[in-house]
Amino acid sequence: MLIETAELLTGSSRIASPVSRDRSVGSFEIAFTGFGEVERKSLENMAKDSGMVVRKSITKNLEFLCTGPRPSSTKVADASAKGCTILSQEQFFSLMETGELPG
């Protein structure tokens, strides 16, 4: 998938946000697995604040699955089968900070 970088204004700071040619800014879907409730909610809020759509399950349009220390093997397998990008928490933070997918 071709990824370009676009700037998205969130609050008073500008962050880079990944944008594909066939998607608008903020339409990327992400799910989280393997985190405690408090940490997951914090990560979900961070994703929402950047314009991402947060899902609780693996959907057909899911772009990213962020995995914590205890990820659901079913969610990881389903996401992999659908071609989702699997991210660690550190890779998610990097994506939020730079707008670039990890290499």
Side-chain angles (χ1 to χ4, degrees):
M1 169 176 52
L2 178 62
I3 299 291
E4 298 171 352
T5 301
E7 287 190 350
L8 173 66
L9 185 60
T10 57
S12 62
S13 62
R14 294 185 89 98
I15 62 169
S17 178
V19 180
S20 74
R21 288 181 186 238
D22 60 341
R23 293 204 176 192
S24 62
V25 172
S27 66
F28 282 102
E29 293 185 11
I30 188 167
F32 297 87
T33 184
F35 297 98
E37 183 177 351
V38 171
E39 189 171 19
R40 181 181 45 78
K41 292 228 181 253
S42 176
L43 293 167
E44 288 175 347
N45 287 335
M46 183 182 292
K48 287 177 186 175
D49 288 347
S50 74
M52 294 180 130
V53 177
V54 175
R55 300 292 183 206
K56 299 289 183 192
S57 61
I58 308 305
T59 63
K60 72 175 188 168
N61 294 321
L62 193 74
E63 194 75 34
F64 303 108
L65 177 66
C66 181
T67 60
R70 298 169 306 283
S72 161
S73 58
T74 302
K75 281 187 177 180
V76 172
D78 289 350
S80 292
K82 292 185 185 222
C84 295
T85 300
I86 310 294
L87 302 172
S88 67
Q89 184 176 5
E90 292 77 23
Q91 290 171 319
F92 171 73
F93 288 146
S94 178
L95 176 64
M96 292 295 94
E97 184 178 320
T98 68
E100 296 176 358
L101 289 174

